[in-house]
Amino acid sequence: MAPRPRVVVIGAGIVGCAIADELTERGWTDLTVLDQGDLFATGGSSSHAPGLVFQTSGCAAMTGFAQYTVAKYGALDLDGRPCFRPLGGLEVATTPERLADLKRRHGWATASGVESRLIGPDECAALHPLLDQAKVLGGFHIPSDGLAEPLRAAEAQARRAIGRGAKFLARQKVVGVESAGGRVTGVTTETGSFRADIVLSCAGMWGPVLGELVDLAIPLVPMAHQYARTGPLPGLTGATRPILRHQDADLYFREHGDRIGIGAYGHRPMPMPAKEIGAGEGMPSELAFTPADFEESWAAAVGLLPPLGETKVEEGINGLFSFTPDGMPLLGEHPGLGGFWVAEAVWITHSAGVARAMARWLVDGQPGTDLHGCDLARFEPVQLAPDYVLARSCQSFVEVYDVVHPLQPMAEPRPLRTSPFYERQAGLGAYFLEASGWERPHWYEANVNLPEVESIPPRNDWAARHWSPIGGAEALVARRRVAMFDMTSLKRVEVTGPGALPFLQTMTTNQLDKKPGSVTYTLLLDEDGGVRSDLTVARIGAERFQVGVNSAIDVDWLRRHLPRDGAAQIHETTPGTCCIGLWGPLARAVLQPLSTTDFSHRAMGYFTTKQAYVGQVPVTAMRLSYVGELGWELYTSADLGRELWDTLSDAGQAHGVIAAGRDAFSSMRLEKGYRLWGTDVTAEHDPYEAGLGFAVRMDKGYFIGRDALAGRSAETVTRKLTCLTVDDPYSVVLGKEPVYADGRPVGYVTSAAYGYTVGKNIAYAWLPAELSVPGRPLEIEYFGERFPAVVASEPLFDAGLTRIRSAA
């Protein structure tokens, strides 16, 4: 048995205590928790957090974290006093828009297995008699939500860890992290040093300060959030009513004996540099209450709960909490310092769930749940700039309780990353949305007069946001003629060196030992066989591969596994290159006259690549298509991007070429059944469940995850990613909706879009294998209503692959 590592956890707030409990339970008992404050009111956010636990989230991982927090803290006590009270959660709507959103949230809860109900104003008032029923249009009730006692839960978990051998030390401010050979060896405090094989930073709002000690950007901003307590209210005797959220006014409420606690997010963002926390007197995370910022919140609180008018605010704080640019936690290992891990920006609601995932990650090598939305490595370098982190974190604060559409982009700072085609796209009236800092056209106003626009059906109000029928017309033109798609934002790296092939063979599932000029679709797996990403690997030369990846997380994963002898290297090429997808039945007619390279089907078959010239522009041409049409991805250097665009556009005019955006792209890829990693498939799914078994070659030799797949096949799976269609064109679902069979929830939607070519709404969903039978009737819940759907054979378009393999 391998020796247990020495672990130092920095921070004895609820997250550090929970992780200590989870690690020691798994046998890692040589563990020391250090905190700069006292135990267990350390001075961080846990010391003042009001403890409300609302489980429902649009992110399945966050909902799962909250579910485990409820289960764990519900079974914990400290000296006979409970650490969690299941009072239930009640969210009320005072506007039609919010009422619709509560119906959407009910769908999320159902999809994640959280029991909940949509209720009327009368039942809302019965559950919480302080409510003005006349103001309430309806509510969302979650019986298992409740009230955690953060300090009590922290200490209870710490005691369990101490009982297994852990040490907790107060007044130990960490001022240095020691390392050797690229790995941590210990930490230094103001009074001593502690040896360690693993250091885990759970410093919360001080996380950026700890990050500076190891040259690690922690994209987190401490932000003040107002919390006030009223004077006594007649008839209020104890916490018996559900915890309450009034998101229309950015408010939440809980009881403190005969008083009401009110939390407010409606005020201006109040960021504070992490280095300045604790510079004054008193509790570091509690700043002086600013009554002027609370005036509107108080008026809204009295409006919803009229009995509050009989009292007043007697005390309050501006309490500091951690906010990130996307509102998600920061979990993972330092990319350049082995053994230094972080678990930051974690709120009470998710604390136990995050702790379990981190403990599994450390002990077993796998977190046991999909964490790509929380992964420390998810940000692009530009997204780590201090000004960017501040602006986006402030926006995250503002939007905490907002109704946010899935496509709604952040407002600032934009534009940041633009392809060389940006000026041309803007000139065509591109409607840009943003992803990973990139400006990406979703449709072009220049195409408004296409006759195909008239054939695109309207859709419901929610689905019509950030949408235009122009996008549908662009899809039809791409199917009928030819279109240019900007694919620059797709992340890509080069892997080179004499060890490049053995390295990629070990990392991926498909056979890459092919001659130069081949292109291969393949998968990255975890050791347990979960799909952590999908890749497109083009062998440009004997020792040179271009690899299309999904995100910075993939690059981090590949770099962590590079051979130590330097036989393979990785270089990201995305910023210095660009790509146009030229797709459609007339793509060859546009491309061939521009080049002396033979682009015929015989000379360049599907999934092959060549170096060529398109007019004056040297390109790497790859014959593949994510939209299911004849065509090529054409890559060139960024300085020649505009010339490539103009060359193709000019030559394509005779063939009716258009520029097309992401809306057309998304519709066409679903018609072909192409999976989108991170949405349709994650590390929680294996290749056979996801319908990707064709990309696995078990006979090629060892690759990461191979052993876990032994004995699995498409025939052994118990769940499947399944294609559903809905005939009603108006009811376009957008993803995350629950799917019902015979009146009971059985799965959830991943990707969804209207298929402009097939004339149906398409929704991919995870379902039990026995229900994944073509023709099986089902229902999808959408904003509280259920719509008939049916399991369909896939792909819906060009099942014979005649379009993408066209020789014409």
Side-chain angles (χ1 to χ4, degrees):
M1 176 183 286
R4 305 294 191 191
R6 295 168 296 185
V7 181
V8 169
V9 176
I10 304 173
I14 196 168
V15 178
C17 291
I19 287 177
D21 182 34
E22 296 285 340
L23 283 174
T24 56
E25 184 180 34
R26 289 164 173 78
W28 282 22
T29 56
D30 189 352
L31 184 146
T32 303
V33 181
L34 307 175
D35 201 283
Q36 64 185 354
D38 294 320
L39 304 176
F40 287 91
T42 62
S45 299
S46 299
S47 302
H48 64 75
L52 286 76
V53 178
F54 288 91
Q55 297 167 83
T56 304
S57 166
C59 173
M62 298 295 275
T63 299
F65 292 157
Q67 287 174 288
Y68 183 69
T69 297
V70 166
K72 182 177 184 181
Y73 295 170
L76 270 182
D77 70 84
L78 184 70
D79 299 329
R81 303 174 67 196
C83 294
F84 179 82
R85 287 175 286 169
L87 301 173
L90 177 62
E91 304 178 20
V92 296
T94 59
T95 64
E97 181 183 34
R98 182 67 60 181
L99 184 62
D101 191 58
L102 295 187
K103 294 175 181 178
R104 183 173 66 132
R105 292 174 62 77
H106 173 261
W108 292 347
T110 303
S112 296
V114 177
E115 180 190 351
S116 65
R117 297 182 303 138
L118 292 168
I119 60 177
D122 53 345
E123 192 168 356
C124 290
L127 286 168
H128 205 294
L130 299 184
L131 283 169
D132 181 353
Q133 182 176 334
K135 298 277 182 65
V136 176
L137 301 180
F140 174 46
H141 181 228
I142 312 93
S144 57
D145 283 352
L147 200 57
E149 298 293 341
L151 295 182
R152 204 179 293 168
E155 185 171 353
Q157 292 175 100
R159 286 189 189 180
R160 298 205 309 193
I162 292 168
R164 301 181 188 116
K167 301 180 181 67
F168 279 71
L169 302 178
R171 299 293 176 180
Q172 294 287 341
K173 182 177 180 179
V174 173
V175 294
V177 177
E178 301 161 12
S179 64
R183 287 197 61 86
V184 294
T185 58
V187 301
T188 303
T189 71
E190 291 178 328
T191 59
S193 62
F194 299 83
R195 305 295 294 167
D197 304 300
I198 290 175
V199 175
L200 179 55
S201 176
C202 304
M205 54 196 172
W206 287 283
V209 178
L210 268 295
E212 286 186 8
L213 298 180
V214 290
D215 296 321
L216 177 65
I218 303 290
L220 174 162
V221 176
M223 205 89 64
H225 155 59
Q226 291 198 300
Y227 190 77
R229 296 193 194 198
T230 69
L233 275 175
L236 206 61
T237 58
T240 58
R241 296 166 179 80
I243 53 175
L244 176 66
R245 283 207 280 199
H246 178 24
Q247 291 110 313
D248 284 323
D250 297 303
L251 294 171
Y252 64 80
F253 305 85
R254 60 155 291 186
E255 296 176 18
H256 295 276
D258 62 352
R259 301 161 191 261
I260 296 289
I262 307 168
Y265 289 104
H267 54 79
R268 60 190 169 91
M270 303 178 193
M272 183 175 188
K275 286 183 177 180
E276 297 179 13
I277 301 172
E281 297 295 326
M283 184 73 73
S285 61
E286 295 184 9
L287 307 181
F289 189 65
T290 50
D293 291 304
F294 197 69
E295 288 178 358
E296 288 187 17
S297 296
W298 176 247
V302 174
L304 184 70
L305 306 178
L308 294 182
E310 302 172 23
T311 183
K312 62 180 181 179
V313 172
E314 287 198 347
E315 57 180 321
I317 61 168
N318 287 2
L320 292 172
F321 290 92
S322 301
F323 282 81
T324 60
D326 58 6
M328 297 289 282
L330 304 169
L331 311 177
E333 188 180 17
H334 193 307
L337 181 60
F340 188 91
W341 292 72
V342 301
E344 307 289 18
V346 181
W347 290 10
I348 305 299
T349 299
H350 310 108
S351 55
V354 165
R356 180 175 65 169
M358 292 300 296
R360 287 173 169 172
W361 203 350
L362 287 163
V363 176
D364 304 328
Q366 311 291 334
T369 190
D370 170 48
L371 295 184
H372 80 274
C374 309
D375 198 307
L376 177 67
R378 68 188 182 270
F379 295 102
E380 296 290 319
V382 70
Q383 296 174 302
L384 297 175
D387 287 349
Y388 180 98
V389 173
L390 177 61
R392 291 293 172 98
S393 297
C394 286
Q395 189 66 21
S396 291
F397 176 89
V398 169
E399 293 181 350
V400 163
Y401 281 169
D402 285 1
V403 178
V404 179
H405 191 275
L407 293 177
Q408 180 177 317
M410 289 284 195
E412 296 292 341
R414 287 181 66 192
L416 273 179
R417 309 178 80 183
T418 59
S419 79
F421 322 130
Y422 181 74
E423 290 179 357
R424 296 292 187 259
Q425 293 164 342
L428 293 172
Y431 183 84
F432 291 102
L433 296 178
E434 183 250 18
S436 298
W438 286 102
E439 296 295 324
R440 303 198 303 185
H442 274 241
W443 68 83
Y444 294 86
E445 286 294 331
N447 295 325
V448 69
N449 292 320
L450 288 171
E452 288 85 355
V453 171
E454 297 301 319
S455 67
I456 305 303
R459 55 177 58 185
N460 62 77
D461 291 344
W462 182 251
R465 296 186 188 184
H466 305 289
W467 173 83
S468 167
I470 297 172
E474 292 171 359
L476 294 177
V477 170
R479 290 274 189 238
R480 295 167 182 171
R481 300 196 298 275
V482 61
M484 296 164 50
F485 293 81
D486 181 1
M487 306 305 291
T488 301
S489 64
L490 298 185
K491 199 170 184 69
R492 50 202 168 273
V493 299
E494 278 198 353
V495 180
T496 57
L501 177 60
F503 167 64
L504 289 172
Q505 284 281 72
T506 298
M507 297 302 297
T508 69
T509 61
N510 213 336
Q511 179 59 263
L512 303 181
D513 191 4
K514 304 173 184 177
K515 64 182 181 181
S518 63
V519 181
T520 306
Y521 177 82
T522 188
L523 309 174
L524 290 179
L525 302 184
D526 280 333
E527 289 286 2
D528 61 2
V531 181
R532 63 174 299 122
S533 192
D534 62 345
L535 312 178
T536 302
V537 180
R539 191 169 192 181
I540 308 298
E543 298 182 357
R544 179 184 169 211
F545 296 80
Q546 179 172 312
V547 183
V549 301
N550 280 296
S551 73
I553 299 172
D554 296 347
V555 181
D556 179 69
W557 175 257
L558 291 170
R559 282 182 172 149
R560 289 180 186 279
H561 290 82
L562 280 171
R564 294 187 177 182
D565 63 2
Q569 302 87 39
I570 293 175
H571 172 64
E572 185 175 349
T573 59
T574 317
T577 57
C578 58
C579 177
I580 292 175
L582 182 71
W583 292 316
L586 300 182
R588 187 178 281 117
V590 173
L591 183 61
Q592 187 60 79
L594 298 173
S595 182
T596 58
T597 299
D598 187 353
F599 286 105
S600 69
H601 183 64
R602 182 176 59 183
M604 189 177 186
Y606 190 54
F607 263 81
T608 60
T609 183
K610 284 185 177 182
Q611 304 298 306
Y613 280 88
V614 175
Q616 308 293 328
V617 181
V619 301
T620 298
M622 297 186 193
R623 188 176 169 193
L624 50 114
S625 168
Y626 205 46
V627 299
E629 290 292 339
L630 169 68
W632 287 263
E633 290 181 0
L634 303 170
Y635 294 89
T636 192
S637 55
D639 59 322
L640 292 170
R642 189 163 62 179
E643 177 66 16
L644 177 63
W645 180 281
D646 290 346
T647 299
L648 292 171
S649 179
D650 292 346
Q653 295 307 306
H655 303 283
V657 74
I658 62 165
R662 298 293 297 189
D663 184 69
F665 178 88
S666 297
S667 171
M668 296 170 78
R669 73 112 182 150
L670 279 179
E671 289 179 327
K672 281 297 295 178
Y674 294 150
R675 278 61 169 144
L676 178 62
W677 189 88
T679 300
D680 298 315
V681 185
T682 71
E684 295 181 3
H685 311 110
D686 77 28
Y688 305 109
E689 295 171 327
L692 299 174
F694 66 87
V696 178
R697 295 290 182 267
M698 294 291 285
D699 59 353
K700 77 162 189 171
Y702 173 77
F703 56 84
I704 293 175
R706 182 184 185 278
D707 294 345
L709 294 185
R712 302 191 207 179
S713 69
E715 288 68 41
T716 64
V717 301
T718 59
R719 60 179 176 174
K720 286 185 178 181
L721 184 63
T722 304
C723 180
L724 310 180
T725 60
V726 179
D727 287 335
D728 179 8
Y730 187 72
S731 302
V732 179
V733 301
L734 297 180
K736 302 182 180 179
E737 297 86 359
V739 178
Y740 287 78
D742 304 321
R744 60 186 178 88
V746 293
Y748 60 93
V749 173
T750 56
S751 291
Y754 187 75
Y756 299 111
T757 312
V758 300
K760 292 179 181 290
N761 275 313
I762 306 168
Y764 272 77
W766 281 100
L767 295 175
E770 64 269 19
L771 296 177
S772 184
V773 179
R776 177 61 160 93
L778 299 165
E779 293 179 305
I780 299 174
E781 180 183 317
Y782 185 61
F783 285 89
E785 296 185 43
R786 296 185 194 174
F787 294 88
V790 65
V791 175
S793 298
E794 59 172 330
L796 297 170
F797 178 79
D798 190 28
L801 302 179
T802 59
R803 308 276 288 209
I804 54 178
R805 298 182 184 276
S806 173

